[in-house]
Amino acid sequence: MPPNHYERVPMDTIELLSTEEQQTQKTRHNRSGSTSSFVHFKALQPTTDVSHPLTEANALASQAFPSLIICVIGLIIAGWMMDIYQHWEVFSKISELFILVPVLLNLKGNLEMNLASRFSTSANMGDIDVPATRNALTLGNLALIQVQALIAGALAGLLSVGLGAILHPDQTTTFSDSLLVIVSSMVSASVSSFVLGLFMCVLIILSRIWRIDPDNIACPMASSLGDVVTLGILAECAHLLLINIDTSLSIWLLVVMLISIPFFGYLAWRNPHVKDLLFTGWTPVVVAMFISSGSGLVLERFVEQFQGLAMLTPILCGLSGNLGSIYASRISTCLHRSVQEQYTRVETTLMMMNVPIQVIFLFIIWVLDIGHLDFTFAFALSYFVVSMASTYAALKMGKSMTLTFWKYKYNPDNYVLPYLTAIIDVICTTLLVISFSLLDNQGLAELDHSS
């Protein structure tokens, strides 16, 4: 029988299973990789959400639109920061940092959006209404995300160094330069994970109190703020380590980061709500890292050729990925609660929300001359088409991935978003480079400043 054919029951009849009870009691609703024990339902009849479709769409638009506007502002700031950082000495000297940026931002974004999705599901299921459970979930998730961030930061740094050596065999990368990339990646991942993880937990708890669906706001906020915080810490840390490259600062920081992994791992291990996640859910994060490295390779190859590419890429990738993440998170919550999502109406609402957001963004970069782009009508039209195509792809992939993982008994909260955002990063970056190349070759906009 399909896993979503259950009857929803009142909140006071939902029961959480302890770890010991899970080992002895078998239920049909057993999914791997959960943040806590899954709820079990008493009947097996399909149900639908009782809320009116139009009311649901209005609630989605009214709650998600402000968070997406904040997301755009954050992404504009991130793009503006990247446009400045690309001229810094540390980025000019160590080109592996260009490969690292999209890989690290994708990894960090995945961890934070997974946290947001898991915590949002817990909120909608009523788990965080009990103070003791709420505190345990918060502390456990903060410890878990530290372990994940430190390991992911190390992997991202090692991958960037390896890809840099493969792509530029004629360039000599010293041990100090490689250590700088790895340590900068781990430090920025750890610090930003603590700041963003705490912020997301507080935001979702407040959303529950104010009766706002966290599925509509959590993922965009995690993504946009995460990019700004991580990028800023990465650039400043790399700059600091470059100044002190002849000292042992990098080695000492690496030692501290490595010691922190078992410490936070022990704290997560003692927490029953996140204990299982120490060993599950790594596959999508690692695979997504390799997928998103394709975006980093494209960016590293063309960032110095096309004017404004470094500024537009995080905005285009971030907004499309956020819209897809909202959709995937909503579907996952509906599956956990055994209610029917209004697929067509939600897809249409999210697609239509992308239109005014992109218009506002184009207007801002035109008025403020951000990125020093040759802002022609052809450029604006091509960017808008690429944005709509990317958003459509994100929504369709978010839906199909969520339903597929659920069908094969995997918790979508832990598996969908890494794959989704990584693939969207590659699609958006590739489409943007193609559109830049076509516009420049046809003389419709002067974007190639290498000629």
Side-chain angles (χ1 to χ4, degrees):
M1 179 174 291
N4 60 334
H5 285 190
Y6 298 89
E7 181 178 356
R8 185 175 54 175
V9 296
M11 290 299 299
D12 57 353
T13 64
I14 296 177
E15 176 185 357
L16 288 176
L17 297 178
S18 66
T19 304
E20 292 76 17
E21 290 171 332
Q22 290 183 49
Q23 303 300 324
T24 58
Q25 181 172 350
K26 302 294 183 181
T27 68
R28 292 182 181 270
H29 196 73
N30 182 27
R31 302 282 171 186
S32 59
S34 174
T35 45
S36 61
S37 307
F38 272 80
V39 297
H40 55 85
F41 298 84
K42 295 185 176 180
L44 301 172
Q45 299 298 325
T47 62
T48 57
D49 196 352
V50 296
S51 60
H52 192 278
L54 187 58
T55 303
E56 180 68 18
N58 291 337
L60 169 61
S62 62
Q63 293 175 11
F65 190 79
S67 66
L68 288 171
I69 292 295
I70 297 175
C71 167
V72 170
I73 296 174
L75 292 172
I76 290 175
I77 295 174
W80 170 73
M81 291 167 64
M82 188 62 203
D83 195 45
I84 294 175
Y85 291 150
Q86 67 176 326
H87 302 296
W88 280 25
E89 180 186 358
V90 64
F91 279 83
S92 301
K93 182 179 179 180
I94 306 175
S95 61
E96 286 81 4
L97 288 173
F98 283 114
I99 302 176
L100 174 64
V101 167
V103 176
L104 180 62
L105 293 185
N106 180 271
L107 273 173
K108 281 288 287 83
N110 287 334
L111 297 178
E112 288 151 6
M113 286 195 291
N114 276 351
L115 169 62
S117 184
R118 290 196 306 266
F119 216 75
S120 295
T121 299
S122 298
N124 285 324
M125 297 300 295
D127 295 347
I128 66 173
D129 294 344
V130 180
T133 305
R134 178 175 63 241
N135 295 337
L137 280 169
T138 302
L139 295 176
N141 276 287
L142 290 178
L144 173 66
I145 201 173
Q146 279 297 307
V147 178
Q148 293 174 328
L150 287 166
I151 296 176
L155 292 175
L158 289 170
L159 178 63
S160 301
V161 172
L163 290 175
I166 295 173
L167 293 175
H168 307 290
D170 54 326
Q171 296 182 5
T172 303
T173 302
T174 65
F175 173 77
S176 298
D177 292 344
S178 301
L179 189 61
L180 181 148
V181 174
I182 297 171
V183 173
S184 298
S185 178
M186 294 182 69
V187 170
S188 59
S190 176
V191 175
S192 61
S193 286
F194 173 76
V195 174
L196 269 298
L198 182 61
F199 173 78
M200 293 312 304
C201 291
V202 173
L203 176 65
I204 293 172
I205 292 172
L206 292 177
S207 298
R208 179 69 173 176
I209 296 174
W210 295 334
R211 300 185 181 277
I212 298 174
D213 187 354
D215 283 325
N216 296 335
I217 65 173
C219 286
M221 298 293 288
S223 175
S224 60
L225 296 179
D227 286 354
V228 173
V229 175
T230 305
L231 188 57
I233 296 174
L234 174 64
E236 294 294 343
C237 182
H239 176 68
L240 176 64
L241 293 178
L242 181 64
I243 296 175
N244 298 276
I245 198 167
D246 295 327
T247 67
S248 58
L249 179 61
S250 296
I251 296 178
W252 282 110
L253 284 176
L254 179 62
V255 171
V256 172
M257 294 296 105
L258 292 177
I259 294 176
S260 300
I261 294 176
F263 171 73
F264 289 110
Y266 175 73
L267 295 180
W269 172 262
R270 294 189 59 185
N271 192 301
H273 299 284
V274 300
K275 178 179 179 180
D276 293 340
L277 288 176
L278 279 173
F279 309 102
T280 61
W282 284 100
T283 300
V285 173
V286 174
V287 173
M289 177 185 68
F290 286 99
I291 296 175
S292 63
S293 66
S295 174
L297 295 177
V298 174
L299 183 63
E300 193 268 346
R301 168 64 178 81
F302 294 98
V303 68
E304 295 183 0
Q305 178 179 349
F306 291 118
Q307 186 89 2
L309 182 63
M311 189 270 296
L312 289 176
T313 299
I315 298 169
L316 179 63
C317 297
L319 189 54
S320 298
N322 282 329
L323 289 168
S325 298
I326 290 175
Y327 194 28
S329 183
R330 287 176 56 90
I331 295 174
S332 178
T333 295
C334 287
L335 292 173
H336 282 85
R337 298 177 62 193
S338 189
V339 297
Q340 180 64 47
E341 176 66 290
Q342 303 291 331
Y343 294 114
T344 303
R345 189 174 295 275
V346 171
E347 287 179 14
T348 303
T349 302
L350 292 174
M351 282 291 293
M352 295 305 296
M353 286 171 59
N354 187 50
V355 175
I357 292 174
Q358 292 295 350
V359 170
I360 293 173
F361 165 64
L362 290 173
F363 179 76
I364 291 175
I365 64 173
W366 174 63
V367 171
L368 301 180
D369 192 26
I370 300 176
H372 309 290
L373 292 160
D374 184 15
F375 198 95
T376 63
F377 176 77
F379 164 78
L381 180 62
S382 66
Y383 174 82
F384 185 79
V385 171
V386 168
S387 171
M388 295 300 291
S390 301
T391 300
Y392 180 81
L395 294 177
K396 291 300 182 182
M397 284 192 295
K399 175 183 176 181
S400 61
M401 286 182 180
T402 304
L403 296 178
T404 300
F405 277 108
W406 181 266
K407 177 181 178 181
Y408 289 100
K409 301 183 183 302
Y410 291 95
N411 184 3
D413 286 333
N414 299 325
Y415 286 86
V416 172
L417 299 187
Y419 291 123
L420 176 62
T421 54
I423 296 173
I424 288 300
D425 281 357
V426 176
I427 292 176
C428 290
T429 306
T430 303
L431 290 178
L432 195 59
V433 168
I434 293 174
S435 67
F436 271 43
S437 179
L438 291 176
L439 289 171
D440 191 79
N441 290 338
Q442 298 298 321
L444 298 175
E446 295 182 5
L447 300 170
D448 188 344
H449 58 90
S450 64
S451 56

